[in-house]
Amino acid sequence: SVATLQKYFEAAAAEFNVPVALLRSYAQVQSNWAQVSESMYGSWGMMGLIEQGNTMQISLGAMLLGSNTAIIKTDARQNIRAGAALLAYYKNELKSNGNTYEDWFAAVSQLTGLTDADMRNSLAKRVYNTLQQGSKTISIWGEIISIAAVENTITPNIEKNGNPGQLGNGTPDYPGAIYNLTNSNFNNRPAGASINFY
């Protein structure tokens, strides 16, 4: 339930001294708070932790937690804890000593696990946009996930790194992709109805 997940986020944030709003927003962008199985990109769980090729976040998370990879892949609480532990680890590795949201940006970018710098930056900025604007969605079990907006989380230093909707290679996903967005050709909403949730 949403209430249980809120407790998991709060506990992980306190355990690893990570801003809880950042964890919530990160999980929202990665999975809409769903503990999913492996994606085609090798990411697992609510926090979208990658275990593929040279990116072995789940193995590193298991080492940091003194746990095992199978639990992090399948258990929502442990997946969130691993995400928080990795975020704190990356921030420490990057020698970022401050504790403003801006000071966490590089660690969030690293947590994405993406190899392309533009894509890492773009996804991190999506997390920060969710953090700043808030979010209201419906979970896979039908509950509303409401994330309150946190003001002044995107500073000029973060914003100047590019438009979150534009990737450096000009594609939405990988270098060979064709960037050809079109209008939807079907919907069943009454005329004039707005979208409140996704």
Side-chain angles (χ1 to χ4, degrees):
S1 70
V2 168
T4 299
L5 292 175
Q6 293 277 24
K7 291 177 183 176
Y8 292 166
F9 286 121
E10 288 165 8
E15 182 178 3
F16 297 100
N17 198 26
V18 172
V20 68
L22 203 50
L23 290 179
R24 290 178 183 139
S25 297
Y26 191 89
Q28 172 58 42
V29 168
Q30 288 286 25
S31 68
N32 192 39
W33 290 21
Q35 181 63 19
V36 294
S37 59
E38 185 178 15
S39 77
M40 63 187 292
Y41 305 106
S43 64
W44 291 81
M46 194 165 299
M47 302 299 284
L49 304 179
I50 296 177
E51 189 81 355
Q52 186 177 74
N54 294 326
T55 307
M56 306 297 285
Q57 292 181 314
I58 294 177
S59 295
L60 177 57
M63 185 187 75
L64 294 171
L65 297 181
S67 182
N68 68 66
T69 58
I71 290 175
I72 292 171
K73 288 178 178 179
T74 58
D75 183 86
R77 179 173 173 265
Q78 297 307 319
N79 192 267
I80 292 168
R81 283 186 71 224
L86 286 165
L87 195 57
Y89 172 83
Y90 292 140
K91 186 170 183 286
N92 184 59
E93 286 288 296
L94 294 164
K95 300 187 178 3
S96 176
N97 297 322
N99 206 30
T100 67
Y101 284 105
E102 183 178 354
D103 295 321
W104 285 93
F105 184 81
V108 170
S109 181
Q110 197 74 6
L111 185 61
T112 67
L114 299 172
T115 56
D116 180 84
D118 286 334
M119 293 182 75
R120 276 198 310 271
N121 185 63
S122 179
L123 186 53
K125 286 174 70 174
R126 281 183 58 200
V127 172
Y128 273 67
N129 285 337
T130 299
L131 189 64
Q132 184 169 21
Q133 297 168 10
S135 172
K136 186 177 277 190
T137 60
I138 297 178
S139 73
I140 58 172
W141 53 89
E143 289 187 275
I144 293 177
I145 302 169
S146 183
I147 299 175
V150 179
E151 295 181 5
N152 302 318
T153 53
I154 298 181
T155 68
N157 285 339
I158 292 172
E159 289 178 338
K160 74 179 182 183
N161 288 325
N163 183 330
Q166 295 175 341
L167 304 183
N169 58 13
T171 64
D173 198 347
Y174 65 98
I178 298 171
Y179 197 70
N180 184 21
L181 302 180
T182 62
N183 293 328
S184 170
N185 62 1
F186 174 81
N187 75 67
N188 62 359
R189 297 187 307 278
S194 62
I195 299 172
N196 297 318
F197 307 106
Y198 70 87

